[in-house]
Amino acid sequence: MFFAASKIFWILAAPSHWLVLLIAATALCLLLRWHRAAKIFSLVALALVLAAWLAAVPLVRAWEDQYRRPPWPPHVDGILVLGSGFDSALLLQRHAPQTNAGVYRLVEGLAAARRYPQARLVFTGGSGQLGGSLFPESDTARYVFTELGQDPGRTILESRSRNTYENIQFSKAIVKPSHGEVWLLATSAMHMPRAMAISRKLDWPMTPWPTDFMTGPQSDRDIWEISGNFSLLDYVVHEWIGLAAYRLTGKAQ
């Protein structure tokens, strides 16, 4: 129930979706000659564009700065790599993995596994699609790891989880980490605050290992990058709402 509700809610809550609705409402009002209503909708749409331009980069930077990349630990027992919405059906059709910024989670997880040969490398990801999928994200992870030379026998794949809570919950049930073990948590810098809050709730201490940062200390804004600004704004709003919802439902700490 939580999974389906979260997916439906985000369709209604994404700022970029609101922009499309406002533009459509403006056009409809103009066709109907409701000029006053059209003016109001167009002004609200413009305000939303300006808000994305002014706020998206600073908000994303502040979110990503919560967990900086630490130095390499002296010892690591395991690396947990979280899925990122990989389309394994497309992999099957194209015989090449989907383009997805989250692939750096796999790359960084593999880099850590090579630095710590005795550590367990775990990828977790089933399907985050509302209707499910016959091809879990773990199929893409297996393909990428194998292409990059990882020994399949040293990789653990979790294929049932649909969201971040299940990623960590199901993985913990598989690997059964012992007290005192050192685990790296590899996920996007934007996703790290929510992932760490869930790992604390599930009593699985993790060392954050953020990947694919989207901003830097000197990152600037460009008013003409409307799609890019809204992409950033969507992402940070999604993580805010996700973390709040997880805490309200007792799934994060």
Side-chain angles (χ1 to χ4, degrees):
M1 184 65 180
F2 178 88
F3 172 75
S6 66
K7 293 294 182 181
I8 294 171
F9 179 81
W10 180 242
I11 293 174
L12 303 174
S16 59
H17 296 178
W18 278 98
L19 179 64
V20 172
L21 290 174
L22 286 166
I23 293 172
T26 300
L28 179 61
C29 289
L30 288 173
L31 286 173
L32 297 175
R33 300 181 184 277
W34 296 348
H35 297 294
R36 185 176 180 181
K39 183 178 180 179
I40 292 172
F41 284 130
S42 62
L43 288 174
V44 174
L46 178 60
L48 190 56
V49 170
L50 290 174
W53 170 54
L54 292 171
V57 171
L59 289 175
V60 169
R61 183 190 296 116
W63 200 258
E64 291 186 324
D65 283 348
Q66 292 185 52
Y67 290 94
R68 307 286 184 94
R69 176 70 73 88
W72 289 103
H75 170 77
V76 168
D77 297 287
I79 304 111
L80 178 64
V81 181
L82 303 189
S84 181
F86 300 118
D87 187 347
S88 293
L90 185 58
L91 168 64
L92 184 66
Q93 296 164 359
R94 293 291 192 179
H95 308 291
Q98 170 202 20
T99 299
N100 184 322
V103 74
Y104 287 103
R105 303 181 187 187
L106 302 178
V107 172
E108 294 294 332
L110 183 57
R114 289 181 174 173
R115 189 178 183 93
Y116 305 101
Q118 303 307 314
R120 289 179 283 177
L121 177 61
V122 182
F123 175 86
T124 171
S127 172
Q129 299 178 23
L130 185 57
S133 173
L134 295 175
F135 309 101
E137 290 188 63
S138 56
D139 287 353
T140 295
R142 179 188 294 108
Y143 180 93
V144 172
F145 284 151
T146 302
E147 285 284 288
L148 295 178
Q150 172 69 1
D151 179 1
R154 290 188 54 226
T155 306
I156 300 171
L157 301 175
E158 185 284 310
S159 305
R160 296 188 300 120
S161 56
R162 301 171 299 171
N163 55 34
T164 309
Y165 184 82
E166 291 182 354
N167 285 156
I168 299 174
Q169 180 188 38
F170 295 169
S171 297
K172 183 180 180 182
I174 292 172
V175 302
K176 297 179 174 58
S178 302
H179 177 72
E181 285 189 347
V182 177
W183 280 80
L184 302 184
L185 178 58
T187 191
S188 303
M190 275 294 296
H191 187 224
M192 189 61 73
R194 182 154 54 111
M196 288 296 291
I198 293 169
S199 71
R200 288 193 297 270
K201 181 66 178 183
L202 293 173
D203 193 28
W204 189 358
M206 292 276 192
T207 298
W209 206 252
T211 71
D212 50 287
F213 284 84
M214 303 175 72
T215 63
Q218 306 302 321
S219 295
D220 206 353
R221 300 168 296 229
D222 185 345
I223 193 170
W224 303 113
E225 285 289 334
I226 295 176
S227 62
N229 290 333
F230 270 95
S231 178
L232 291 176
L233 187 62
D234 278 353
Y235 202 167
V236 73
V237 170
H238 181 272
E239 290 304 317
W240 272 348
I241 293 174
L243 183 54
Y246 274 61
R247 283 175 171 162
L248 286 172
T249 54
K251 296 180 181 293
Q253 183 175 303

